[in-house]
Amino acid sequence: MKRHLVMADVGEVLMSVLSTIRVPKPGDRVHKDECALSFSSPESEGGLYVCMNSFLGFGSQYVDRHHARTGQRAYLHITRTLLISGNLGKRRTEMCSFKSFITCDQVVETYYQELFVTCNSSFDSSLQVSLSMAGIMAADSVSHTLQVQQWDGEVRQESRHAADLKQLDNGLKIPPSGWRCEVCDLQENLWMNLTDGKVLCGRRYFDGSGGNNHALLHFQETAYPLAVKLGTITPDGADVYSYDEDDMVLDSKLPEHLAHFGIDMMTMEKTERTMTELEIAVNQRVGEWEVIQESGTTLRPLFGPGLTGMKNLGNSCYLNSVMQVLFTVPDFQSKYVSNIDKIIDEAPSDPSQDFKTQVFGSHCCHIWLFLFCFQGDQIGIAPRMFKALVGRGHPEFSTNRQQDAQEFLLHFINMVERNCRSGPNPSEAFRFLVEERIVCQQSQKAKYTQRVDYIVQLPVPMDQATNTEELQEAERRREEGDTTAPTVRAQIPFTACMAALSEPEVLTDFWSSAVQAKTTATKTTRFASFPDHLVIQIKKFTFGLDWVPKKLDVSIDVPDTLDLSALCATGQQPGEELLPEVAPPPLMTPDLFSSLLAPVLDDSTVSQLCEMGFPLEACRKAVYYTGNTGIDAAMNWIMGHMDDPDFSAPLVLPGCSSGAGTTPTESLSEEHLATIVSMGFSRDQATKALRATSNVLDRAVDWIFSHLDDLESMDVSEGGRSAAESEGGREPPPGPRVRDGPGKYELFAFISHMGTSTMCGHYVCHIKKDQQWVIFNDQKVCASEKPPKDLGYLYFYRRVAE
């Protein structure tokens, strides 16, 4: 009798528990990576328990509490273990099992164990449990979804073909699943052309996977521009690629375009990774993300003055990292914090548009906002006004796209320069002089020039890697299709990078004034002064043989201390002859009117160069100075002139003192003149800058700061008056102010980048405070356990006092 009673109660318990178990649906938030109440994860001791009804995750110390509070009795237990196996390196293995909490008060206690065993046996064979377990394991976790949403990649634009896309009435209907490439029968990475409904495989990836390029070949044959990636279609959207625009795009009429071929977008479920997810997967190779963010260890949060994080505004990690480092430099603290009363008194009626006020505000919040932390969690600051101000009018920093931290650092320093024409200038902490010595190999005569710089760009000699054999073996295995082949990072000695910086550069197309012809020369670069704070950029971003931008995956043993004394400039050597000061002949012999006309440039070549991310004026120069001879010649010119101080300055024709389209008699904007004069320049200098840039204010300001050497003969006064207008006049100012001292430094900060391009990925910075390394990962600020100094992108050193 008891036996039948127990079995009947078992059935009731079984049905009761099964009724609470759900299978995840599209849109359900599945928390399978982190505990809802703590930082526990599948890697933690005891693993993670995911409620099979609410899909919330709980650590082993909280799952009993959740069961007692809610009555839920079905959980998926997930454990993840890091294994180290031979030469395969580190890998994670994941296991999952069903966990049930069985309570049945009406069952006699002596039969509880039999009940428990019987119920679990029934659960194990239950279809509902199996479907729920499979659904949870297959679903994207909330953290993964947020990572995709917050991925700082390029913002997709609406395709120009979307609004009026032509679709053929060929009666073709595409099934909701079971797709195959119509040419090669592949079943993954399939794209449906939105014009004719053809289902074809995508491009072949660099490692040989992906597809066989049949979708691309179809476009080349038909010119049908848009294709959607099957398997990524959900009610929220899908991956759409424009072959004509050569980019991922948005299609506002996608539901209509899919319905044309019988696909109901509202009923579709994702079965393949999106292109964004694939990009993230590539960027996370060899644990670069985990190493740089120190995500494999439990980090201790820090709070206090100078330890406040900055919120990521969707793409602002580059700004956050740079400003966190600058906030630690005494010159910036003195300029924008010590002068609080003066800054506030002089603030305009709209302080949101005042540079000093906004920098002061961001800096002040950075210091004091730690007081507003809730339950140990940082809320961080959101520098929205500051970001809007420093990016205003800039073609890149005014957008919501990810940017290069090095470019932003230079942009911000440039803004500081513009706004500190009078009074202390904190950017002087980074400013130094570079001496370039060029020796004509035919005459052995030399030429010396000096230029101002703020960053040392350190080359990466890949041929100096110390693990060449390991790199070659890994590459061989990948070419053979070995999916278990590890990705090996090149180990480059820092000394090799410094040697590449200091060795002479060969100039094969140098015009020598001594021999009045083009010949070969060598150029050696040295420090004419050593700054108080030295910034070193590792040149990880370069171009492949096909001119496609790529990032070098390298590890460099960057030292904590640095002595650059051996790179100090020496000036003209005893007995050394200098090259005569004779101007080279013009590139082209102008006719009577050519000096007044804009050059005829190949617009398509200019556009191609601009699409690669180079400044417009630099692209125009490249095409002009290579005589419209094509993209390869222009690209070679760009690569050889990227370090020129006037690289992005407007193109000025030989014999012209003004930019194309501007004549000396053209009227200039008084408002523009007043703006430039307010920065500390004379009216004559402002006039020259505006005439050189077609009366465009932003370009004129850039021009004037890149031509300071040319303007030295024109007097500059802090009030913007010329020497004749000043009382009694004054002597022309000397060259740019620089500080000098010993070339010995110590590392105090570095900024790291994760991703394949500066235009995507993520930035974090590490700063040494009171002999403790601290990681600033947007609003998360923690004590660093293993600062990844070998993977940095920008390194910041300060002078060591002797």
Side-chain angles (χ1 to χ4, degrees), residues 388-585:
L389 180 64
V390 297
R392 187 179 61 190
H394 193 279
E396 290 298 333
F397 299 122
S398 61
T399 70
N400 288 324
R401 295 189 293 269
Q402 178 63 284
Q403 305 298 337
D404 185 351
Q406 180 256 2
E407 291 181 2
F408 177 76
L409 173 60
L410 289 178
H411 170 70
F412 182 74
I413 288 177
N414 192 21
M415 292 198 71
V416 173
E417 294 277 11
R418 298 179 188 181
N419 288 274
C420 295
R421 296 293 296 173
S422 60
N425 184 345
S427 66
E428 289 180 7
F430 299 106
R431 188 191 298 159
F432 61 95
L433 288 176
V434 176
E435 178 190 89
E436 292 184 345
R437 174 176 178 261
I438 298 178
V439 178
C440 168
Q441 294 301 291
Q442 188 168 339
S443 66
Q444 292 302 308
K445 295 183 179 180
K447 175 184 179 181
Y448 289 85
T449 59
Q450 286 190 348
R451 59 177 171 84
V452 174
D453 214 333
Y454 297 88
I455 294 179
V456 176
Q457 294 185 312
L458 202 61
V460 180
M462 295 298 291
D463 58 344
Q464 298 295 312
T466 58
N467 58 338
T468 304
E469 293 184 1
E470 189 178 0
L471 289 167
Q472 292 174 345
E473 174 63 16
E475 180 63 23
R476 182 190 64 78
R477 290 174 61 181
R478 283 194 298 271
E479 290 178 352
E480 293 177 352
D482 185 353
T483 57
T484 64
T487 301
V488 181
R489 180 174 292 121
Q491 308 288 330
I492 310 294
F494 183 79
T495 52
C497 298
M498 292 301 298
L501 174 70
S502 59
E503 67 183 10
E505 176 187 355
V506 178
L507 307 177
T508 58
D509 200 25
F510 176 74
W511 190 86
S512 171
S513 59
V515 299
Q516 291 291 300
K518 288 186 177 181
T519 183
T520 301
T522 58
K523 181 174 74 172
T524 306
T525 303
R526 292 291 184 269
F527 288 89
S529 68
F530 290 114
D532 288 350
H533 292 75
L534 181 72
V535 184
I536 294 180
Q537 175 197 15
I538 303 298
K539 297 181 69 174
K540 290 187 174 183
F541 299 98
T542 182
F543 292 89
L545 297 176
D546 53 0
W547 297 118
V548 175
K550 68 175 184 178
K551 177 183 174 182
L552 302 177
D553 189 15
V554 295
S555 170
I556 301 176
D557 57 336
V558 176
D560 289 322
T561 60
L562 198 59
D563 188 351
L564 301 178
S565 304
L567 295 180
C568 183
T570 57
Q572 184 178 357
Q573 300 299 299
E576 185 178 51
E577 293 187 56
L578 299 180
L579 286 165
E581 292 291 335
V582 180

Side-chain angles (χ1 to χ4, degrees), residues 709-740:
D709 293 340
D710 299 337
L711 300 175
E712 284 184 7
S713 60
M714 305 179 70
D715 186 21
V716 181
S717 66
E718 292 185 359
R721 297 174 296 172
S722 65
E725 294 169 323
S726 302
E727 293 183 8
R730 63 175 64 191
E731 292 297 322
R737 290 184 54 183
V738 295
R739 306 170 189 175
D740 198 7

Side-chain angles (χ1 to χ4, degrees), residues 244-264:
D244 179 57
E245 296 161 283
D246 195 22
D247 204 356
M248 299 298 297
V249 296
L250 298 178
D251 179 1
S252 58
K253 290 190 175 183
L254 184 59
E256 175 185 328
H257 293 155
L258 292 173
H260 181 83
F261 296 107
I263 298 178
D264 183 357

Side-chain angles (χ1 to χ4, degrees), residues 341-361:
D341 294 335
K342 187 172 185 294
I343 292 175
I344 294 177
D345 292 341
E346 296 178 354
S349 57
D350 184 4
S352 67
Q353 303 303 309
D354 181 63
F355 181 78
K356 286 189 299 183
T357 306
Q358 285 304 307
V359 176
F360 152 72

Side-chain angles (χ1 to χ4, degrees), residues 72-107:
Q72 295 297 332
R73 293 183 284 188
Y75 296 83
L76 180 65
H77 186 203
I78 305 176
T79 58
R80 194 177 298 138
T81 307
L82 181 66
L83 299 179
I84 300 178
S85 177
N87 295 327
L88 296 180
K90 297 179 180 180
R91 60 185 180 89
R92 284 180 169 80
T93 178
E94 191 169 67
M95 298 182 64
C96 66
S97 59
F98 179 76
K99 166 72 174 177
S100 63
F101 286 81
I102 303 300
T103 57
C104 190
D105 296 338
Q106 69 270 32
V107 178

Side-chain angles (χ1 to χ4, degrees), residues 669-683:
S669 167
E670 285 295 328
E671 182 180 356
H672 291 354
L673 285 169
T675 299
I676 298 178
V677 168
S678 69
M679 296 178 183
F681 295 99
S682 70
R683 185 178 178 88

